[in-house]
Amino acid sequence: LGTRALLLIAIVNLSPVIAAAWSENDATGEDVYPPLWDLAPENLLDFQVKDNKTVINAWNYRERLGAYKSLLNASAKYFTAFGSQNFGNILWGLPLQHGWQFRTGRLADPSSVTSCGYEDGDLLCISVRSWWSCVNYYLAVIPFLGAVEAGLFGQLQYEIELLPPEERRDDFCYSVADCRSRIPELMDDWKAYFEVNNFTLF
């Protein structure tokens, strides 16, 4: 399967996992949200603006989580029929997986060469050396930028730009135009998914 199919399948397949996690956590009284959910940016206005661009550091756990949170909040209106408080939003699988990776240390530098992702270092740092964090980058950035391009966030005052990691910069894309030039078919799929006039749940 190609990258496009894998990304879309991942979301659909995570839906039963989401339901099970919520049921289990409701029974135990545990927090059902990803770690630091309340501290993550709520929408695009909560991110830093620099040089007339909204800048997001997707190699910081809180900011990548904020991109997910913004996406969930902006798409909530499409899922009102599936329950209150946006719990029926199929996109929950993305931030929940990201939170699990953070909680289990999968976003930290596996080589321990740097302190990225460790409590005695920079806990919120997402390591470009982690396979998990690199795969998750595309599970975060492509749906998010597809939604931006589709107009899900409305008319934006500033262009969105994601900051590159300190190393392996050429392995990633950082804006709608950049990602479209590298993986146009995947961007097309996510843009189509978020097109307001043609929005469908499946």
Side-chain angles (χ1 to χ4, degrees):
L1 290 176
T3 306
R4 291 187 298 157
L6 289 173
L7 284 171
L8 293 172
I9 288 170
I11 291 177
V12 174
N13 286 341
L14 280 168
S15 297
V17 176
I18 299 166
W22 269 330
S23 299
E24 180 181 334
N25 287 341
D26 285 345
T28 61
E30 293 180 17
D31 190 358
V32 297
Y33 295 98
L36 307 180
W37 182 254
D38 290 340
L39 300 178
E42 297 272 342
N43 56 60
L44 297 183
L45 297 176
D46 293 333
F47 290 99
Q48 179 185 9
V49 174
K50 185 177 181 181
D51 298 329
N52 290 322
K53 292 182 179 180
T54 297
V55 179
I56 300 174
N57 181 3
W59 299 97
N60 173 279
Y61 170 75
R62 191 183 69 85
E63 293 203 25
R64 191 182 293 190
L65 189 63
Y68 283 132
K69 193 173 186 179
S70 300
L71 190 59
L72 278 163
N73 288 340
S75 62
K77 58 188 174 184
Y78 298 112
F79 295 94
T80 54
F82 294 87
S84 62
Q85 299 180 324
N86 205 20
F87 282 169
N89 194 325
I90 194 173
L91 299 173
W92 267 114
L94 299 174
L96 286 174
Q97 182 194 49
H98 184 49
W100 169 77
Q101 291 168 347
F102 174 76
R103 189 174 58 251
T104 57
R106 285 172 166 81
L107 303 179
D109 181 355
S111 69
S112 298
V113 170
T114 71
S115 63
C116 182
Y118 292 97
E119 289 188 19
D120 59 350
D122 185 354
L123 180 61
L124 298 183
C125 174
I126 297 177
S127 176
V128 74
R129 297 171 182 237
S130 162
W131 177 88
W132 291 93
S133 67
C134 293
V135 171
N136 182 265
Y137 180 88
Y138 278 103
L139 278 172
V141 167
I142 302 306
F144 175 74
L145 292 179
V148 169
E149 189 175 23
L152 185 71
F153 299 102
Q155 187 67 36
L156 299 179
Q157 184 177 2
Y158 304 109
E159 181 183 346
I160 305 292
E161 183 176 89
L162 293 110
L163 296 179
E166 293 184 3
E167 52 186 323
R168 302 180 186 174
R169 296 182 176 213
D170 292 341
D171 291 346
F172 308 97
C173 58
Y174 306 103
S175 67
V176 169
D178 186 18
C179 292
R180 175 158 290 288
S181 71
R182 298 188 191 208
I183 40 178
E185 291 184 350
L186 188 55
M187 286 292 291
D188 281 342
D189 285 348
W190 279 105
K191 181 177 182 285
Y193 181 80
F194 288 113
E195 289 285 359
V196 174
N197 292 331
N198 299 312
F199 191 90
T200 57
L201 295 179
F202 302 104

